Amino acid sequence: MHLAVKALLEADPQLALPTCFVIRHDTEGSRTRESKDSTWSGVFEYVTGESEQVWSRDLASVHHRGIAELPGKMVRFDRVEVERAHGSIRPDLVGIVGERRINLEVAAAHFIDNEKLAKIRNLGVPTLEIVLPPSIDPDWEALRKILHSPDGKFWRFNPLAEQRAEADYQARQAARVERRRRDEERREREAERMRAQQQEEMRARQQAAEVRKQKAVLREEALQEATYGLVAEVVLRRERDSF
């Protein structure tokens, strides 16, 4: 089947690349094909489907993940190579544009396994898996529709998307650290404000107690003076009465 795809691309070297949506997670996920909606490669999740659906799905937890989205587009290859060895792998097809290359793996029943994916990642070459339905009629028109549509294609490795997702992840991590620092500073300022307020309230209470004490002393002194004055007056009166 990949020979038919090769012949079509040689006759019309255009291929519709799907959107490459990559999420950089904190930890490594399952490295198996878990569903039709995503595949994993280490800590990177390659998500298929419309970006709006992806954002809606991950909106609640996106703040601590790295996100990269490369929009889909039609690409025209300068040439297409078939089953040419590259390092330790032999991709079905290699599309070449200038100095750039992309591995194209045509899959109908067998998909890229973890071992091959590890080799692909080591080579660092973008790799797209073109999934052909087993029931597809082996005619050129049906194949051409698949090649010219973003459907049925899955990014298994895209170093540019991963680099951007990693950069976004690191930026988000730095932002989280900065938020924690600011929150800690805010809590420290609030604690300091509360301590200062408590100290001020304590000083105010102490001052109020001191004022009450001084007033009590003054009242006591005034009372003593009044008592002394009364006693003196009584004594003087008695002295006058004795003449």
Side-chain angles (χ1 to χ4, degrees):
M1 187 68 74
H2 62 276
L3 293 177
V5 173
K6 163 68 163 53
L8 279 172
L9 288 176
E10 285 182 331
D12 182 13
Q14 294 188 96
L15 181 68
L17 301 181
T19 296
C20 184
F21 202 105
V22 176
I23 302 174
R24 200 292 198 186
H25 292 264
D26 291 323
T27 57
E28 183 172 339
S30 171
R31 295 177 64 106
T32 61
R33 180 184 294 272
E34 291 185 337
S35 71
K36 64 182 179 63
D37 296 322
S38 68
T39 58
W40 286 78
S41 183
V43 295
F44 297 98
E45 180 186 9
Y46 284 76
V47 184
T48 59
E50 297 296 328
S51 60
E52 292 81 4
Q53 298 173 355
V54 177
W55 280 105
S56 176
R57 191 201 74 176
D58 290 285
L59 187 61
S61 58
V62 73
H63 63 278
H64 66 274
R65 299 175 178 177
I67 302 293
E69 181 179 10
L70 304 182
K73 63 180 180 180
M74 287 290 295
V75 61
R76 175 177 291 274
F77 297 121
D78 296 333
R79 68 180 189 278
V80 176
E81 298 177 347
V82 58
E83 292 191 343
R84 183 170 181 177
H86 182 204
S88 58
I89 66 172
R90 187 184 296 272
D92 292 335
L93 303 166
V94 178
I96 300 174
V97 180
E99 298 297 323
R100 294 176 296 169
R101 54 192 294 141
I102 176 174
N103 291 342
L104 305 174
E105 296 287 353
V106 181
H110 300 90
F111 303 99
I112 296 175
D113 58 22
N114 292 335
E115 180 180 358
K116 187 170 185 178
L117 181 58
K119 294 178 180 179
I120 290 171
R121 293 184 64 84
N122 287 335
L123 290 174
V125 179
T127 299
L128 187 70
E129 195 170 46
I130 303 174
V131 179
L132 301 180
S135 59
I136 188 173
D137 295 329
D139 64 86
W140 284 34
E141 187 57 34
L143 289 176
R144 183 178 290 107
K145 288 182 180 180
I146 291 177
L147 296 180
H148 291 176
S149 169
D151 298 333
K153 302 183 183 71
F154 301 87
W155 284 103
R156 300 308 309 276
F157 178 59
N158 189 312
L160 177 59
E162 290 191 6
Q163 289 170 8
R164 292 184 179 181
E166 180 65 29
D168 186 53
Y169 175 81
Q170 295 300 333
R172 291 174 187 273
Q173 293 302 304
R176 290 175 67 186
V177 171
E178 179 63 17
R179 284 196 299 271
R180 292 194 200 100
R181 185 188 66 79
R182 291 180 179 178
D183 289 344
E184 183 62 27
E185 288 182 348
R186 179 183 56 78
R187 287 191 292 268
E188 290 180 357
R189 289 195 300 269
E190 180 64 18
E192 181 62 28
R193 187 188 67 80
M194 291 298 296
R195 287 193 295 269
Q197 181 178 342
Q198 292 171 355
Q199 292 173 356
E200 183 63 27
E201 291 174 351
M202 183 176 295
R203 283 194 295 270
R205 288 193 296 268
Q206 291 173 345
Q207 291 175 354
E210 184 65 24
V211 169
R212 288 193 298 271
K213 182 179 179 180
Q214 291 176 357
K215 288 182 177 180
V217 170
L218 292 174
R219 284 195 299 269
E220 181 66 21
E221 291 177 349
L223 179 60
Q224 290 178 357
E225 290 179 358
T227 302
Y228 294 154
L230 180 61
V231 171
E233 183 178 351
V234 171
V235 170
L236 289 174
R237 184 176 303 166
R238 285 178 179 177
E239 290 178 352
R240 287 196 297 269
D241 292 343
S242 62
F243 288 100

